[in-house]
Amino acid sequence: MYTNNVARVLWNGIASKSCVENGVREGGIISPILFCVYLDGLLVQLRNSGIGCHIGNFFVGALAYADDLALLTPSASAMRTLLKICDDYSAIFNSI
């Protein structure tokens, strides 16, 4: 059900090359569960990095809701570090 999926943009009757080759189906019953399973490991890595915003002892550097993720950092360099963690994490799963 989730293998060999691609997404294309259709503009004026012309389809683009595939631009998304993995992910979960929008509106699929099991999609939120699969996304949460995938995202949990990333959120743990982001929290364990110690980088990002904190309120007291609570890490609020990565806020996730539904299929959205917001990264909060006090500086541009900290944001680049969190984005690198996200990029590395996605590269692992893109190669599977």
Side-chain angles (χ1 to χ4, degrees), residues 16-89:
S16 71
K17 295 186 290 183
S18 61
C19 54
V20 176
E21 296 180 355
N22 57 20
V24 295
R25 292 179 185 260
E26 185 74 28
I29 293 172
I30 197 168
S31 294
I33 294 167
L34 293 175
F35 184 75
C36 287
V37 168
Y38 171 80
L39 195 64
D40 186 61
L42 175 60
L43 293 174
V44 168
Q45 284 188 21
L46 293 169
R47 182 192 65 218
N48 291 343
S49 74
I51 300 167
C53 292
H54 291 80
I55 297 177
N57 292 330
F58 294 100
F59 174 70
V60 292
L63 305 174
Y65 180 77
D67 61 351
D68 296 318
L69 175 65
L71 300 176
L72 305 172
T73 64
S75 68
S77 63
M79 179 61 77
R80 284 190 289 275
T81 301
L82 290 187
L83 288 171
K84 176 78 168 100
I85 292 169
C86 292
D87 189 50
D88 293 344
Y89 187 83

Side-chain angles (χ1 to χ4, degrees), residues 2 5 41 43 61 76:
Y2 284 94
N5 287 324
L43 293 174

